[in-house]
Amino acid sequence: MPHILTSRFLFGPGPSNCYPEAMAALAYPVLGHLDPVFIERLDHTCQGLRTVWGTSNARTLPLSATGSGGMEAAFVNTVSDGDVAVIAVNGLFGERMCEVARRCGATVVRVDHEWGQPVDAERVLAAHPHPKVIAAVHAETSVGVLSDIAALGAGKGDALLITDAVTSIGGLELRADDWGIDVGYAGTQKCLGVPPGLSPFTVSDRAFERRIKDPRSWYLDIGLLGGYVGAASGARTYHHTAPVTMIAGLEAALDRILAEGLDVVQARHRAAGTALQDGLQDMGLELFAAEGSRLPSLTTVKVPDGVNSAAVRAYLLKNFSMEIGSGVGEFADTVWRIGMMGPNANSASVTLVLGALKEAIANA
């Protein structure tokens, strides 16, 4: 029988530790997916998602998929054979956008950036005169970089703007309507403080009117999904059996975040991220992401010369029951990724991580 852990400090790139309210809600009685009580819960959850997305979009819902499913839904509903997709790439998840768009038949125009640098909006907007979509990652988890989505929205013209907000929703400022985001997708397992399994998703009326009417994916068809959440007329049309328990957990976390105050939660994430980054530099460590564009929710730090990255992470796991993440791609052994997300975004977490990491570097 596998060993059963009583706790783990999840300070990696996700999942993070969860809000207690979310975990308690996972024990609620299971309801039918058309039970009136569940429909009320779903509607309340969708309204909470509108608040954290910063949108009034009717089609804002928790997709029954992880954030990667949200990414696929974003592209399968907006691009088809020959449509031009301009995609900013400054990390792993921008690269995945390119692959998903290619598989949907799009002509992909990559705008590559040095990993660790934010998206250059001017270069992205100048990459093609008339793209169907422009896409970028708001908070690039692989490199710990925050990019200016509002600048892309201001210059998008007739294009639809697709945004990955997996590592920003629920912890960082996010204003989909004000920034011109047409299609946004995220995940529950980071700043929202909910286990992985759902993708908070939002679609503007503009994007819905220009959607692919018969997309390659039946399951991710936003026309059908919008009917399930009553976005069109208030009437419900059966689409799939929703993960009712996961949605209960998401509802509870959203209620908890909004009760604290979204601006307060965002300030808490900023403070924890800043304190961690300052502390790491005080230890003599060098941060990876560009100064001025560093994510508060996910910090990337260079592994010191002569230090074995995997050994340090193994030491933390064994001695502190603590997880931090490795880098990705060519930076797998030379960068650590440390998350301060959800309930972990606090000063006590910063003190714990800094102390544990200092010991691990000295002893691993």
Side-chain angles (χ1 to χ4, degrees):
M1 172 181 263
H3 179 62
I4 299 176
L5 289 170
T6 57
S7 66
R8 186 77 94 189
F9 295 111
L10 298 178
F11 293 114
S16 69
N17 292 109
C18 298
Y19 285 115
E21 294 86 347
M23 296 305 295
L26 298 181
Y28 289 175
V30 175
L31 301 175
H33 62 282
L34 295 175
D35 187 303
V37 173
F38 172 70
I39 294 299
E40 182 179 0
R41 175 169 293 154
L42 177 61
D43 288 347
H44 185 62
T45 301
C46 291
Q47 187 55 46
L49 289 177
R50 290 184 187 96
T51 302
V52 294
W53 268 114
T55 186
S56 59
N57 292 338
R59 295 171 181 82
T60 301
L61 68 154
L63 283 185
S64 303
T66 61
S68 295
M71 179 188 294
E72 187 145 351
F75 286 99
V76 79
N77 283 284
T78 57
V79 294
S80 190
D81 295 336
D83 289 335
V84 174
V86 171
I87 301 177
V89 180
N90 68 332
L92 173 65
F93 293 97
E95 290 195 336
R96 287 192 181 177
M97 281 181 161
C98 293
E99 177 62 9
V100 172
R102 182 193 69 79
R103 293 188 183 205
C104 291
T107 299
V108 175
V109 178
R110 287 178 60 122
V111 184
D112 284 292
H113 300 68
E114 180 182 352
W115 283 30
Q117 296 295 318
V119 168
D120 183 335
E122 289 187 7
R123 283 207 298 124
V124 174
L125 295 172
H128 192 279
H130 301 292
K132 174 72 179 298
V133 302
I134 297 170
V137 180
H138 182 217
E140 177 53 84
T141 317
S142 63
V143 291
V145 170
L146 186 68
S147 291
D148 186 356
I149 297 301
L152 292 174
K156 68 181 179 179
D158 193 48
L160 299 174
L161 178 59
I162 296 174
T163 300
D164 176 321
V166 171
T167 308
S168 53
I169 194 169
L172 281 66
E173 182 182 40
L174 185 59
R175 304 207 313 264
D177 288 353
D178 291 344
W179 295 352
I181 296 172
D182 291 291
V183 181
Y185 61 88
T188 51
Q189 72 274 20
K190 304 201 181 192
C191 297
L192 287 174
V194 180
L198 295 173
S199 178
F201 194 82
T202 190
V203 184
S204 69
D205 288 344
R206 178 175 180 261
F208 186 76
E209 290 167 3
R210 296 175 57 189
R211 75 190 187 281
I212 304 301
K213 296 300 195 296
D214 190 22
R216 285 172 165 85
S217 173
W218 176 90
Y219 185 68
L220 298 174
D221 183 338
I222 58 173
L224 300 177
L225 290 167
Y228 177 65
V229 296
S233 62
R236 309 283 171 165
T237 55
Y238 168 72
H239 180 258
H240 69 283
T241 301
V244 294
T245 302
M246 277 297 303
I247 290 171
L250 176 56
E251 177 195 37
L254 289 167
D255 284 349
R256 183 250 177 271
I257 289 169
L258 298 179
E260 182 179 353
L262 188 55
D263 55 343
V264 176
V265 172
Q266 292 169 356
R268 176 162 57 80
H269 280 77
R270 286 195 303 272
T274 299
L276 175 66
Q277 291 163 14
D278 288 347
L280 291 168
Q281 291 179 103
D282 289 344
M283 288 170 57
L285 301 177
E286 183 180 356
L287 302 183
F288 177 76
E291 187 174 359
S293 299
R294 291 168 182 157
L295 276 177
S297 51
L298 196 283
T299 295
T300 45
V301 57
K302 295 182 180 179
V303 178
D305 292 340
V307 172
N308 185 308
S309 171
V312 167
R313 288 186 290 110
Y315 185 97
L316 290 171
L317 205 62
K318 178 181 178 181
N319 293 282
F320 292 93
S321 195
M322 179 185 296
E323 175 184 283
I324 67 171
S326 63
V328 298
E330 65 178 288
F331 304 106
D333 298 323
T334 58
V335 168
W336 290 313
R337 294 183 294 160
I338 305 174
M340 288 285 150
M341 297 183 279
N344 291 345
N346 60 67
S347 59
S349 294
V350 174
T351 300
L352 176 61
V353 168
L354 291 174
L357 184 60
K358 184 176 182 178
E359 179 180 320
I361 291 172
N363 293 286

